[in-house]
């Protein structure tokens, strides 16, 4: 069975302020976008993961603070993960800064959701770091600070170690093996299946595969439909009404296209937390 794990990056106004190119977003973009996505998910009975910036879970009024909506997301059966506390760019952060940022995000979301609800997952802002020498992934931009935010101190490996210290169980990761990329360009390396989750430093690392739900993502699902694999898709709630593959209409189309395959047991939609549990069971 192909398992498709979907996650959303709920950036909130705090995230827009830290972003490279989203400062002009209306401040209620994620709030309104999530309101469009939740009925689609409910109609198809699909549970997903929302990675939420912790600042949005502080007491206060929307759209800066969205406690009521975050609780509604959880009450609907979706997983709430941390998208850090303030959506800061991780690569140049010092170790103590990173630990405080990820710990604060987890702590704030758990306080919002109430006693007994633990936040196990982490979704890195900007899908960074991408530098991961242990897996053959090298990011010159991060190492040299070409983003204009300082030279890189963190890698995927150091992030996962910090998350383990902070009490997280899984993290979405994004990186590409440079040797594989070169091989593909030179046509000496064939197509490989999507990278599968693995355990590093005690944390289940879940590779990201595609963004959005448009034709490119649906084609990947079709390509691997009969394989026993985990495929990950992601989008932003602030794009739910936009004219691109991340919108609610395309999400509905994805579910509609694979309704029969889902009924036949060929494909299943999962939260990222469910993927973590699958991986840990397979390791026992």
């Amino acid at each position: 069975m192909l398992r498709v794990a979907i996650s959303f990056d709920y950036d909130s106004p705090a995230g827009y302020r830290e972003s490279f190119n989203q400062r002009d977003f209306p401040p209620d973009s994620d709030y309104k976008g999530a309101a469009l996505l939740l009925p689609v998910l409910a109609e198809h009975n699909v549970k997903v993961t929302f990675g939420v910036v912790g600042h949005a879970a502080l007491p206060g009024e929307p759209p800066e603070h969205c406690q009521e909506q975050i609780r509604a997301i959880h009450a609907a059966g979706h997983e709430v993960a941390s998208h850090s506390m303030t959506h800061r760019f991780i690569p140049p952060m010092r170790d103590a800064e990173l630990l405080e940022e990820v710990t604060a995000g987890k702590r704030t979301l758990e306080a919002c959701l109430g006693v007994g609800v633990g936040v196990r997952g982490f979704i890195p802002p900007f899908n960074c770091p991408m530098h991961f020498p242990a897996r053959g992934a090298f990011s010159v931009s991060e190492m040299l600070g070409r983003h204009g935010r300082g030279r890189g101190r963190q890698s995927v490996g150091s992030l996962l170690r910090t998350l383990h210290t902070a009490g997280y169980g899984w993290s979405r990761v994004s990186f590409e093996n440079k040797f594989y990329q070169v091989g593909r360009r030179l046509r000496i390396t064939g197509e490989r299946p999507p990278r599968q989750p693995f355990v590093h430093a005690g944390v289940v690392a879940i590779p990201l595969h595609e963004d959005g739900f448009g034709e490119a993502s649906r084609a990947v699902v079709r390509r691997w439909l009969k394989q026993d694999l985990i495929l990950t898709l992601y989008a932003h709630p602030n794009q739910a009404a936009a004219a691109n593959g991340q919108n609610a209409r395309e999400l509905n189309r994805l579910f509609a296209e694979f309704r029969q395959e889902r009924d036949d047991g060929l494909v299943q939609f999962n939260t990222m937390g469910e993927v973590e549990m699958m991986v840990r069971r397979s390791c026992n």
Side-chain angles (χ1 to χ4, degrees), residues 86-162:
T86 58
H87 204 268
R88 290 178 59 193
F89 188 59
I90 288 175
M93 296 176 72
R94 298 183 185 277
D95 292 347
E97 289 180 285
L98 176 59
L99 181 59
E100 174 56 29
E101 179 76 4
V102 301
T103 301
K106 185 177 191 296
R107 182 175 60 238
T108 304
L109 287 166
E110 289 175 343
C112 171
L113 294 173
V115 177
V117 179
V119 170
R120 290 192 56 80
F122 184 78
I123 293 179
F126 309 97
N127 291 319
C128 291
M130 296 183 177
H131 185 63
F132 196 13
R135 293 270 169 160
F138 304 92
S139 174
V140 175
S141 293
E142 290 177 10
M143 288 188 292
L144 299 181
R146 289 181 177 173
H147 295 286
R149 298 194 177 188
R151 288 178 176 269
R153 295 184 175 92
Q154 303 297 334
S155 66
V156 174
S158 65
L159 170 63
L160 295 174
R161 289 192 294 273
T162 300

Side-chain angles (χ1 to χ4, degrees), residues 184-197:
R184 289 288 286 168
R185 281 197 294 269
L186 296 177
R187 298 185 179 181
I188 59 176
T189 303
E191 182 186 29
R192 69 179 183 188
R195 292 185 308 277
Q196 294 300 281

Side-chain angles (χ1 to χ4, degrees), residues 230-261:
I230 293 169
L231 185 67
T232 58
L233 310 177
Y234 98 108
H236 292 81
N238 58 46
Q239 297 294 300
N244 59 39
Q246 295 191 33
N247 65 47
R249 183 178 63 255
E250 292 293 339
L251 178 64
N252 182 69
R253 186 173 177 182
L254 171 77
F255 295 147
E257 178 170 337
F258 296 103
R259 181 182 293 116
Q260 188 60 55
E261 287 81 1

Side-chain angles (χ1 to χ4, degrees), residues 1-2 40-47 225 254-270:
M1 177 189 292
L2 178 68
V40 175
L41 295 167
E43 178 184 351
H44 293 277
N45 191 28
V46 172
K47 309 304 180 188
L225 190 58
L254 171 77
F255 295 147
E257 178 170 337
F258 296 103
R259 181 182 293 116
Q260 188 60 55
E261 287 81 1
R262 191 181 177 197
D263 291 343
D264 293 341
L266 297 176
V267 64
Q268 182 180 87
F269 293 99
N270 295 103

